[in-house]
Amino acid sequence: MITIAVDAMGGDMGPEVTIAGSALALKCHSNLRLIFYGVANKVEPILKQHPNLITCPFYATETATAMDEKPSQALRNGRGKSSMWHAIDAVKSGEADACVSAGNTGALMAMSYFCLRMLPEAERPGIAGIWPTIHGESIVLDIGATIGADANQLVDFAVMGAGMFRALYHIRKPSVGLLNIGVEEVKGLEEIRKAAHLLRTIPSEVLEYKGFVEGNDIGKGTVDVVVTEGFVGNIALKTAEGTVQQVSRILNKAMHQSIFSRLGYCLSSGAFRYFRQRLDPRKVNGGVLLGLNGVVVKSHGGTDAEGFASALHVGYEMIKNELLDKIAIDLRHFHEKKPIFTASKDGSG
Amino acid sequence: MITIAVDAMGGDMGPEVTIAGSALALKCHSNLRLIFYGVANKVEPILKQHPNLITCPFYATETATAMDEKPSQALRNGRGKSSMWHAIDAVKSGEADACVSAGNTGALMAMSYFCLRMLPEAERPGIAGIWPTIHGESIVLDIGATIGADANQLVDFAVMGAGMFRALYHIRKPSVGLLNIGVEEVKGLEEIRKAAHLLRTIPSEVLEYKGFVEGNDIGKGTVDVVVTEGFVGNIALKTAEGTVQQVSRILNKAMHQSIFSRLGYCLSSGAFRYFRQRLDPRKVNGGVLLGLNGVVVKSHGGTDAEGFASALHVGYEMIKNELLDKIAIDLRHFHEKKPIFTASKDGSG
């Protein structure tokens, strides 16, 4: 049995979406158990609407973390009180194996860090996002947990991202690339070149280092795991989201320009459905907070029930495939094999 | 009369594209004069194919800068010899008003910097790209001239980008945003917050500062000018390019799935033509090297004749609207009005 703690209050739509999504997820996984945390008068009426959730434990919490609270504020106001805090704390206490929330990302990061602490092998947390590509999906990290990363931290991201990819897609040695502004070895920031040196020289059974990749390689799916620090990763993610919106808007406008294009649009409705599905963020919803001493999945705040179910599925797979234990072993393995663990003096590319 | 020096050898296709594009541009602008630089046996046969170019001066050069030469290598090999160098040098000597090349970006940047030097008012060069948006076009800079930028340099980029937007689109006070990972004042890197403080406090007649923008705001066209440093700008640009390719590939696949979708595709062919045109990089081709003591336009290396003509058009408009003089005045104005010109001690947001 795999138990997931659900922050029922998180997300733009709150319990309406998180509970409907939970009901969907439970239909797919017979050995999944859910625990709900939320404000009673908001959650209970909706829980009652879903017969398959009746046996799930529900814990009433005093508050919910607002979507616009600053991380420090959320931690101060929510510690020991909010649904988000309690859902994370259930992972710490061992009551749940993982936690899923569609709430405020900064708050989730801060509370998880404060409550669960880091894996002893990891230095810095990262948020790993699942990115739809031409061929399927890639994992990109960090998409905004922290700003900046040195060479060792980038290597840790590579190892953790590969572990997550393996857990989700069952590929033995996922390919890994470092995001840079050129593929030549001399290009880009020094810490990225140092990380490249480390990834090239440390023999690994858990990932295959493919060199530098550029921004356009992400959508192409050139590698399974794209590694970058949080500022750049967040800008890249949002730029891609904006571009998909932009392209869809222009396409929509184009298809309604004339009677012919409208007729064509009707005839091609199946094709457009396929097109939208392939780009549907709900299908690949779920950023995972990596490096922490527990599995915490962040669902997109604006998602619907199907999207939230998909985030629960990600949490489920992480636990089923023993992500944390494996990541800890992989990180230890990498750290032991590092020539000398002082990348700052080492490997200028 | 406006004179542009054309590096006829640059680009993936070389003279075939640059010369055909030049012939196109000349048809649009009656007061445009072109000077060609290139290797004689490559350029002369193609020049002869275009009757309207017969009177244009052509200077034979010893070499051409290869697309894969490193900047330092290109400078060493090309100085005083290559078509790229001579085209830039024509701007320095005053023989031409601007230079356009579809060649190696790093080499063009290095040679332009070496040959033309900086405007006394600017500290660091930037490449400004024209970005298609839902509403029209925005300018994004720096998209890869240099890595990193402090607060003062970001402010300079804002002023120069606004100057370029004004020259191209005739908007008196273009709106400017700083690219960041959140719109709240406390977010992001310190230098970006400092730049925000400067842009907020310095009264300006030449730009309207709108605050932070995120990656998804670029495609939306939230502001006319998006300011960032070169590493992030380059990753954002290439991520967007990759996303457009990805979306187009998926759409194409969708439209060929069934007989109905294919029929629909035929009926909507006009709509798809409009769609492709709106996303056509050739229509907005031309990155401008800003901050230098001369106008240098970089055309996309993989463009066709129409795209190269569009880069020539950008160069033409920059000169016609006296971009350099205006940018110099605007920068001086900003520097004079800065409270104290030590942003590092100032304005932590």
Side-chain angles (χ1 to χ4, degrees):
Chain A
M1 193 60 92
I2 288 168
T3 306
I4 296 181
V6 176
D7 168 17
M9 305 301 290
D12 299 343
M13 303 294 291
E16 214 172 292
V17 158
T18 59
I19 293 173
S22 298
L24 277 178
L26 218 51
K27 283 179 195 157
C28 301
H29 300 293
S30 58
N31 65 336
L32 174 63
R33 186 175 159 261
L34 298 174
I35 311 178
F36 293 95
Y37 297 86
V39 177
N41 65 354
K42 307 267 183 194
V43 173
E44 280 173 339
I46 301 175
L47 268 178
K48 281 184 194 142
Q49 293 167 18
H50 298 275
N52 70 337
L53 301 179
I54 280 175
T55 56
C56 296
F58 165 63
Y59 293 100
T61 65
E62 271 180 69
T63 61
T65 300
M67 291 303 273
D68 58 355
E69 268 181 293
K70 286 181 195 162
S72 56
Q73 201 183 352
L75 194 56
R76 213 162 42 238
N77 298 342
R79 194 179 162 191
K81 288 184 197 162
S82 83
S83 57
M84 188 187 274
W85 175 274
H86 283 290
I88 298 166
D89 198 47
V91 177
K92 190 186 178 189
S93 70
E95 203 171 344
D97 301 305
C99 155
V100 175
S101 173
N104 178 335
T105 310
L108 186 66
M109 190 70 239
M111 283 189 195
S112 302
Y113 183 79
F114 189 88
C115 182
L116 299 171
R117 301 284 158 185
M118 298 296 293
L119 282 174
E121 294 81 6
E123 220 176 294
R124 173 178 278 222
I127 301 178
I130 303 170
W131 194 297
T133 70
I134 291 177
H135 304 300
E137 280 113 38
S138 294
I139 284 175
V140 181
L141 79 164
D142 172 22
I143 53 170
T146 57
I147 289 179
D150 68 21
N152 289 324
Q153 289 158 350
L154 290 171
V155 170
D156 285 359
F157 286 161
V159 173
M160 297 194 291
M164 174 171 158
F165 195 90
R166 208 164 45 246
L168 278 180
Y169 304 102
H170 313 293
I171 301 282
R172 200 174 59 83
K173 273 181 96 166
S175 56
V176 173
L178 286 166
L179 190 60
N180 203 343
I181 57 170
V183 294
E184 304 84 6
E185 279 187 25
V186 295
K187 287 258 176 153
L189 297 164
E190 203 192 345
E191 291 302 323
I192 299 178
R193 293 203 308 271
K194 282 184 191 167
H197 177 76
L198 289 171
L199 285 168
R200 255 198 325 270
T201 45
I202 301 171
S204 166
E205 290 301 313
V206 296
L207 63 85
E208 192 173 352
Y209 176 62
K210 293 282 194 186
F212 294 144
V213 293
E214 297 192 70
N216 52 343
D217 287 305
I218 312 178
K220 275 189 206 162
T222 305
V223 289
D224 298 327
V225 180
V226 176
V227 173
T228 182
E229 58 80 34
F231 189 89
V232 169
N234 187 275
I235 298 281
L237 177 73
K238 291 204 172 145
T239 301
E241 282 177 3
T243 307
V244 170
Q245 281 167 17
Q246 174 193 357
V247 170
S248 305
R249 281 276 290 276
I250 292 172
L251 181 64
N252 195 43
K253 199 175 158 196
M255 296 315 288
H256 290 82
Q257 268 187 334
S258 73
I259 185 91
F260 289 111
S261 62
R262 262 182 241 156
L263 186 60
Y265 184 72
C266 292
L267 276 168
S268 316
S269 60
F272 280 101
R273 206 161 36 240
Y274 168 83
F275 172 69
R276 278 191 294 265
Q277 271 177 2
R278 278 298 310 275
L279 291 169
D280 189 349
R282 296 173 308 170
K283 298 273 170 196
V284 285
N285 186 27
V288 177
L289 274 53
L290 292 176
L292 298 172
N293 207 353
V295 171
V296 178
V297 178
K298 166 70 176 84
S299 161
H300 202 292
T303 196
D304 62 7
E306 205 182 319
F308 195 77
S310 148
L312 284 165
H313 172 74
V314 168
Y316 176 89
E317 289 291 323
M318 300 287 96
I319 298 302
K320 190 178 146 205
N321 293 290
E322 299 167 357
L323 180 76
L324 277 201
D325 291 348
K326 287 183 183 163
I327 279 181
I329 294 168
D330 295 349
L331 284 174
R332 218 172 302 137
H333 171 95
F334 253 82
H335 292 182
E336 281 164 11
K337 289 207 181 171
K338 263 181 206 162
I340 307 161
F341 193 44
T342 51
S344 52
K345 290 181 194 165
D346 192 2
S348 50
Chain B
M1 194 59 94
I2 287 169
T3 305
I4 296 182
V6 176
D7 167 17
M9 305 301 291
D12 300 343
M13 303 294 291
E16 214 172 291
V17 159
T18 58
I19 293 174
S22 299
L24 277 179
L26 218 51
K27 283 180 194 157
C28 301
H29 299 294
S30 58
N31 64 335
L32 174 63
R33 186 175 159 259
L34 299 174
I35 311 178
F36 293 95
Y37 297 84
V39 177
N41 64 355
K42 307 265 183 197
V43 174
E44 279 174 339
I46 302 174
L47 269 178
K48 282 185 192 141
Q49 293 166 18
H50 298 276
N52 70 337
L53 300 180
I54 280 174
T55 56
C56 296
F58 165 63
Y59 292 100
T61 65
E62 271 179 68
T63 61
T65 300
M67 290 304 272
D68 58 356
E69 269 181 290
K70 287 181 194 162
S72 55
Q73 201 184 353
L75 194 55
R76 214 163 41 239
N77 299 340
R79 194 178 162 190
K81 287 183 198 162
S82 82
S83 56
M84 187 186 274
W85 174 274
H86 282 291
I88 298 166
D89 198 47
V91 177
K92 190 185 179 190
S93 70
E95 203 171 344
D97 300 305
C99 154
V100 175
S101 174
N104 177 337
T105 310
L108 186 66
M109 189 71 240
M111 283 190 195
S112 302
Y113 183 79
F114 190 88
C115 181
L116 298 171
R117 301 284 158 185
M118 298 295 292
L119 280 176
E121 294 80 7
E123 221 177 292
R124 174 177 277 223
I127 301 178
I130 303 170
W131 194 297
T133 71
I134 292 177
H135 304 299
E137 279 113 38
S138 294
I139 284 175
V140 181
L141 78 165
D142 171 24
I143 54 171
T146 57
I147 289 179
D150 68 20
N152 290 324
Q153 289 157 351
L154 290 171
V155 170
D156 285 359
F157 286 162
V159 174
M160 296 194 292
M164 175 171 157
F165 195 91
R166 208 163 46 246
L168 278 180
Y169 305 102
H170 313 293
I171 302 282
R172 200 173 59 83
K173 274 181 95 167
S175 57
V176 173
L178 286 166
L179 190 60
N180 203 343
I181 58 170
V183 294
E184 304 85 6
E185 279 185 27
V186 295
K187 287 255 177 158
L189 297 164
E190 203 191 345
E191 291 302 322
I192 299 178
R193 292 203 307 271
K194 282 184 192 167
H197 176 76
L198 289 172
L199 286 167
R200 255 197 326 270
T201 45
I202 302 171
S204 166
E205 290 301 313
V206 296
L207 63 86
E208 192 173 353
Y209 176 62
K210 293 280 192 186
F212 295 145
V213 293
E214 297 192 70
N216 52 344
D217 287 306
I218 313 178
K220 276 189 204 160
T222 305
V223 289
D224 298 326
V225 180
V226 176
V227 173
T228 183
E229 59 79 35
F231 189 89
V232 170
N234 187 276
I235 298 282
L237 177 73
K238 291 204 171 144
T239 302
E241 282 177 2
T243 307
V244 169
Q245 280 167 17
Q246 175 193 355
V247 170
S248 305
R249 281 276 290 275
I250 293 171
L251 181 64
N252 195 44
K253 197 175 161 197
M255 296 314 290
H256 289 84
Q257 269 186 333
S258 74
I259 185 93
F260 289 111
S261 62
R262 261 182 242 153
L263 186 60
Y265 185 72
C266 292
L267 276 169
S268 316
S269 59
F272 281 102
R273 206 162 37 241
Y274 168 82
F275 172 69
R276 278 192 293 267
Q277 271 177 1
R278 277 301 307 277
L279 291 170
D280 189 348
R282 296 174 307 170
K283 298 272 170 197
V284 286
N285 185 28
V288 177
L289 275 53
L290 292 176
L292 299 172
N293 207 352
V295 171
V296 178
V297 178
K298 166 71 175 82
S299 162
H300 202 293
T303 196
D304 62 5
E306 206 182 319
F308 195 78
S310 149
L312 284 165
H313 172 74
V314 168
Y316 176 89
E317 289 291 323
M318 300 287 96
I319 297 301
K320 190 177 146 207
N321 293 289
E322 299 167 356
L323 179 75
L324 276 202
D325 291 348
K326 287 182 182 162
I327 279 182
I329 294 169
D330 295 349
L331 285 173
R332 218 173 301 138
H333 171 95
F334 254 81
H335 292 182
E336 280 165 9
K337 289 208 182 171
K338 264 181 205 164
I340 306 159
F341 194 44
T342 51
S344 53
K345 290 183 193 165
D346 191 4
S348 50

